[in-house]
Amino acid sequence: MRGTVRKEKKVIGKSRKKKREFWSAGEWFLVLLGIDLLAKQYVEETMLEGEEREIPGKKLILRKVYNRGFLLNTLEEHPDIVKAVSLAAGAGFLLYDGYLFTRKGNRLEKLGVILAGAGGASNLADRLFRGRVVDYIGVKSRSSFLSRLTANLGDLYLFIGAVIVMVSQKRNRGSVRRSST
């Protein structure tokens, strides 16, 4: 073997490095998280609590509202419980992320988890650093209940992500049943 020359194989038209076509899951997570945190900071710095601004031509209202509890201010009089449950849910979610992202496939479920994770992390950061969540998106509606609701992008990420995860898991369960019969 000594003195032999190795010839390198050259493959014409193929690159050895795989081109990245999409952002990584972490990059998507950080971008989504950053957008919501920046929107919350903008609202914090430029609006008074309870202030509303109509968005011309849209059925949306920019409104500054603080949520000290969970959905619809549930448990707002118990901030320590809200923080503890939020931290526990965040830790559980992080463990599930670690499990899911070490497995191959499940792209749809991973997309849902990225969205839900970014929304949850944004609201958790608000709870930990501000002691409350800043909500800023309202909707014009004939329904007084819907008109009073205010959310933030993180809430929308959470909702859409949860729906995507449920659809993905239901689809995966259906394919397992079909293949086992």
Side-chain angles (χ1 to χ4, degrees):
M1 289 277 178
R2 198 171 181 183
T4 60
V5 178
R6 270 202 265 186
K7 292 183 181 179
E8 279 191 43
K9 275 189 176 180
K10 286 190 178 181
V11 180
I12 299 173
K14 289 190 177 181
S15 170
R16 287 183 179 252
K17 283 188 177 182
K18 193 174 181 181
K19 222 179 191 182
R20 270 184 49 174
E21 295 179 19
F22 299 101
W23 287 356
S24 72
E27 289 167 327
W28 278 111
F29 172 85
L30 290 173
V31 166
L32 292 168
L33 175 64
I35 289 169
D36 189 39
L37 290 175
L38 287 172
K40 288 175 179 179
Q41 192 62 35
Y42 171 79
V43 169
E44 275 286 88
E45 292 175 0
T46 63
M47 296 180 72
L48 300 172
E49 186 174 359
E51 181 182 348
E52 291 186 3
R53 296 180 190 166
E54 288 193 26
I55 299 172
K58 306 286 181 197
K59 290 195 170 211
L60 295 177
I61 299 171
L62 196 60
R63 175 189 304 142
K64 183 177 182 178
V65 176
Y66 292 120
N67 184 348
R68 290 171 176 81
F70 293 120
L71 180 66
L72 303 174
N73 278 320
T74 306
L75 293 177
E76 70 179 323
E77 60 280 348
H78 303 288
D80 291 337
I81 293 173
V82 172
K83 273 187 187 176
V85 170
S86 296
L87 279 169
F93 202 80
L94 189 61
L95 289 172
Y96 182 70
D97 282 358
Y99 164 74
L100 180 65
F101 282 93
T102 58
R103 296 173 37 211
K104 288 188 178 191
N106 300 318
R107 292 177 85 167
L108 188 61
E109 185 174 358
K110 289 175 182 177
L111 171 65
V113 167
I114 291 167
L115 283 163
S122 175
N123 287 341
L124 180 59
D126 263 8
R127 285 192 202 293
L128 296 177
F129 299 114
R130 290 188 172 112
R132 57 198 177 192
V133 175
V134 179
D135 288 332
Y136 52 87
I137 301 171
V139 179
K140 290 183 206 174
S141 173
R142 291 181 182 162
S143 164
S144 62
F145 174 74
L146 291 177
S147 292
R148 285 192 312 257
L149 290 180
T150 308
N152 57 52
L153 285 175
D155 296 335
L156 298 177
Y157 299 161
L158 269 166
F159 177 76
I160 294 167
V163 169
I164 291 172
V165 167
M166 287 188 301
V167 167
S168 172
Q169 289 179 347
K170 186 171 177 87
R171 186 169 23 144
N172 288 344
R173 273 191 282 252
S175 66
V176 169
R177 284 188 191 130
R178 281 191 295 267
S179 65
S180 64
T181 56

